[in-house]
């Protein structure tokens, strides 16, 4: 079970990182963008670490409070929930 969880987290965080790269490239080329709801959704479903690394690596969405405050907050809540779950 733990192996499945780690595999899921690895994949969703890789997806979060890649989607930040893709959205940044689309922004540079003034193409259709990935909706912010999708970006936040990936973070909520476990991709917050990948999103944060992508934000930092590509300097993308770093001026939007929704992302600079929201994604770290989501990560903290996920860590808190994981700690509660593991101690239960």
């Amino acid at each position: 079970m733990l192996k499945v969880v780690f595999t899921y987290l690895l994949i969703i965080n890789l997806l979060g990182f890649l989607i930040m790269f893709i959205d940044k490239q689309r922004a540079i080329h003034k193409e259709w963008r990935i909706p912010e709801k999708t970006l936040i959704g990936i973070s909520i479903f476990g991709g917050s670490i990948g999103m944060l690394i992508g934000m930092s690596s590509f300097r993308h969405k770093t001026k939007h409070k929704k992302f600079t405050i929201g994604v770290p907050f989501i990560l903290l809540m996920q860590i808190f929930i994981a700690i509660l779950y593991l101690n239960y």
Side-chain angles (χ1 to χ4, degrees), residues 58-82:
F58 309 122
R59 294 189 194 129
H60 190 50
K61 299 289 187 187
T62 56
K63 294 182 180 177
H64 299 267
K65 297 238 186 260
K66 184 187 297 186
F67 290 91
T68 57
I69 294 172
V71 175
F73 179 76
I74 292 168
L75 176 59
L76 289 175
M77 290 298 101
Q78 290 169 338
I79 291 169
F80 178 72
I81 291 168

Side-chain angles (χ1 to χ4, degrees), residues 18-29:
L18 290 174
I19 209 157
M20 289 302 276
F21 173 74
I22 292 166
D23 194 51
K24 177 66 174 190
Q25 292 303 308
R26 288 181 175 180
I28 290 169
H29 295 102

Side-chain angles (χ1 to χ4, degrees), residues 1-11:
M1 177 66 177
L2 196 57
K3 190 174 183 179
V4 172
V5 171
F6 282 129
T7 303
Y8 170 77
L9 288 174
L10 179 67
I11 291 169

